[in-house]
Amino acid sequence: MYSEKQFEHLFKEHYEAMYNLAFSMLRDEEESRDVVHDVFARIWEKQPEIRSGTERAYLLNSVRNGCANRIRALSQEERLRKLYPEEIQLSLNAVQEAEQLEHIRQYMENDMPPDTRTVLQLCIMQDQSYKQASEQLQMSVGYINKQIVKGLRMLRDKFNPKRTE
Amino acid sequence: MTDNDIQNWMNEPDGKELYRMACEVKRAHAVPSAQPDVDAEWQSFRTRHMSKKPATWHKFIAVAASLLLICGIGIAAILPVFRQETAQSQDTPVTPKEAQAQPKGTVTVSAESFVFHQVTLENILNQLAAHYHAQVQFANPELKSITLYVQIDKNQTLQQAVQFLNHFDKVNIRLQGDTMVVE
């Protein structure tokens, strides 16, 4: 059972990591804040037994579940447009997942051919259409699509090599 | 990307995996424009969610409340017993608490008063008779053995004392000159 002081400590220590995780999934500041507050509100109300030392994993997993519920509530089209995952991978815990995301960032920065990286940046990270990107980069739409597929495959082979479907 | 753009590579044989990877790339680079102000968030959280005490608090209050209720029922059950014995007048308040504090069957005599605790009526009246230089006569001998808890102010007149004792349902004393007649 958390005293108010302990609870405040828990809140302040983990808030930022939880918020960043939520934001990485939802890409919306207000929604992310809501998810994190919901997690803390439930803990304060229900006072679950959280084994000492596992608080971070517990909190991050709760955030992930909260986000997954929100994503699940959206329509298929909306999920696709926002590049929300079809399902939340449960093979990784939230802490490992955060590490993997960091590795993806580093790999793109350091090991990816510049053209491929630039295209991924414009189209995926900045939500530009193929057409916009082709104008900006003076490349054909076909080439852009090729770079996207190539880049995603590189990442897939690097980070999810065993997955076959 | 437009839906059409996405469809372009979703149609590849490994399209699903590519989509999943695209989601991860998107996630990996999603960084909020500003880091949250944790102290401000804490304050806002506190005011919104923490006026409610946690569940264990509720339980504690519920337990305390039911204990109180049980005590209340207990007292309510005990009270009528005393009520009969302590039909109080205003000048000699007697509370059940005082009654419980004293052992049964005792007479406490002070300069101001008699306190009879679960004492037989016969005994009480004999003591009063001695104090007021009066006589006692039991027209109804059965009443000799009833016990009462009663406090009598010594400064009262015999008449007042008798009147006071007559507040008890079972007690009916008539003053005949210097004689208390119990009927």
Side-chain angles (χ1 to χ4, degrees):
Chain A
M1 152 123 205
Y2 290 100
S3 70
E4 194 167 325
K5 204 96 206 99
Q6 291 169 316
F7 189 75
E8 179 178 353
H9 182 75
L10 191 76
F11 186 100
K12 289 187 171 170
E13 188 175 347
H14 298 288
Y15 188 91
E16 198 168 314
M18 292 165 73
Y19 177 78
N20 286 336
L21 173 66
F23 189 86
S24 81
M25 292 179 75
L26 300 173
R27 273 94 70 175
D28 181 291
E29 290 175 5
E30 200 49 46
E31 289 234 341
S32 305
R33 187 171 175 270
D34 282 355
V35 167
V36 177
H37 280 220
D38 284 352
V39 168
F40 277 118
R42 208 166 38 245
I43 290 175
W44 177 248
E45 206 177 309
K46 302 239 162 90
Q47 295 276 342
E49 293 279 336
I50 304 176
R51 205 145 40 82
S52 156
T54 65
E55 291 91 351
R56 186 180 162 80
Y58 183 98
L59 293 171
L60 292 181
N61 280 322
S62 304
V63 166
R64 189 162 64 156
N65 293 337
C67 293
N69 287 338
R70 286 182 188 230
I71 290 172
R72 221 171 284 138
L74 299 174
S75 72
Q76 176 81 27
E77 290 77 20
E78 209 168 347
R79 275 193 298 229
L80 193 73
R81 200 168 312 123
K82 292 189 170 170
L83 282 180
Y84 283 152
E86 290 285 303
E87 70 224 28
I88 306 298
Q89 292 176 45
L90 293 174
S91 54
L92 294 176
N93 70 38
V95 178
Q96 291 171 318
E97 202 176 55
E99 282 167 10
Q100 167 148 328
L101 293 179
E102 178 57 33
H103 291 148
I104 289 175
R105 261 197 305 274
Q106 283 171 5
Y107 178 82
M108 285 176 70
E109 188 126 347
N110 302 324
D111 302 312
M112 204 171 251
D115 267 12
T116 314
R117 185 174 66 230
T118 310
V119 170
L120 287 182
Q121 240 159 20
L122 283 180
C123 294
I124 293 183
M125 281 108 85
Q126 295 173 23
D127 294 317
Q128 292 202 16
S129 69
Y130 281 4
K131 194 156 169 292
Q132 288 170 312
S134 91
E135 282 160 12
Q136 193 180 329
L137 299 173
Q138 302 291 312
M139 296 166 179
S140 74
V141 168
Y143 181 74
I144 284 177
N145 186 53
K146 229 176 100 183
Q147 292 304 320
I148 295 256
V149 172
K150 182 179 153 196
L152 293 177
R153 280 200 183 125
M154 281 175 78
L155 288 164
R156 189 261 327 267
D157 293 342
K158 173 84 182 155
F159 293 103
N160 293 316
K162 279 182 211 148
R163 189 179 296 156
T164 49
E165 214 171 312
Chain B
M1 275 181 288
T2 65
D3 293 356
N4 262 342
D5 298 340
I6 294 174
Q7 283 306 328
N8 270 323
W9 43 268
M10 283 284 274
N11 291 335
E12 300 279 334
D14 53 357
K16 266 202 158 165
E17 287 171 59
L18 297 182
Y19 179 80
R20 204 155 16 207
M21 215 56 236
C23 293
E24 292 209 22
V25 169
K26 178 109 182 156
R27 271 193 68 184
H29 293 84
V31 179
S33 57
Q35 282 306 300
D37 178 346
V38 175
D39 285 325
E41 289 298 328
W42 166 246
Q43 286 311 327
S44 131
F45 179 85
R46 233 168 70 94
T47 40
R48 258 208 302 174
H49 295 285
M50 288 181 66
S51 48
K52 259 192 294 177
K53 289 293 175 192
T56 37
W57 246 109
H58 289 302
K59 276 180 213 154
F60 177 76
I61 289 170
V63 167
S66 36
L67 271 177
L68 216 64
L69 185 70
I70 291 165
C71 288
I73 292 169
I75 287 169
I78 292 164
L79 214 55
V81 178
F82 285 112
R83 195 170 289 156
Q84 180 154 34
E85 294 172 356
T86 60
Q88 302 159 0
S89 77
Q90 279 172 343
D91 51 353
T92 57
V94 175
T95 64
K97 206 172 155 199
E98 284 170 338
Q100 280 170 335
Q102 283 168 312
K104 287 186 173 186
T106 56
V107 183
T108 314
V109 187
S110 71
E112 299 87 30
S113 66
F114 294 101
V115 180
F116 301 102
H117 182 67
Q118 305 291 77
V119 176
T120 60
L121 186 59
E122 182 178 36
N123 195 340
I124 292 170
L125 293 186
N126 283 338
Q127 301 237 8
L128 291 181
H131 178 65
Y132 289 110
H133 308 291
Q135 316 297 316
V136 185
Q137 191 187 327
F138 275 92
N140 181 354
E142 277 176 33
L143 291 175
K144 284 181 180 180
S145 58
I146 66 166
T147 61
L148 299 177
Y149 174 79
V150 62
Q151 183 174 353
I152 290 174
D153 192 336
K154 281 183 174 175
N155 297 323
Q156 291 181 115
T157 63
L158 177 60
Q159 238 167 348
Q160 285 171 321
V162 166
Q163 217 171 19
F164 178 48
L165 284 171
N166 281 340
H167 283 123
F168 292 108
D169 287 344
K170 291 180 194 161
V171 180
N172 186 19
I173 303 167
R174 190 162 46 84
L175 255 187
Q176 211 169 44
D178 275 342
T179 308
M180 295 179 276
V181 184
V182 184
E183 298 174 327

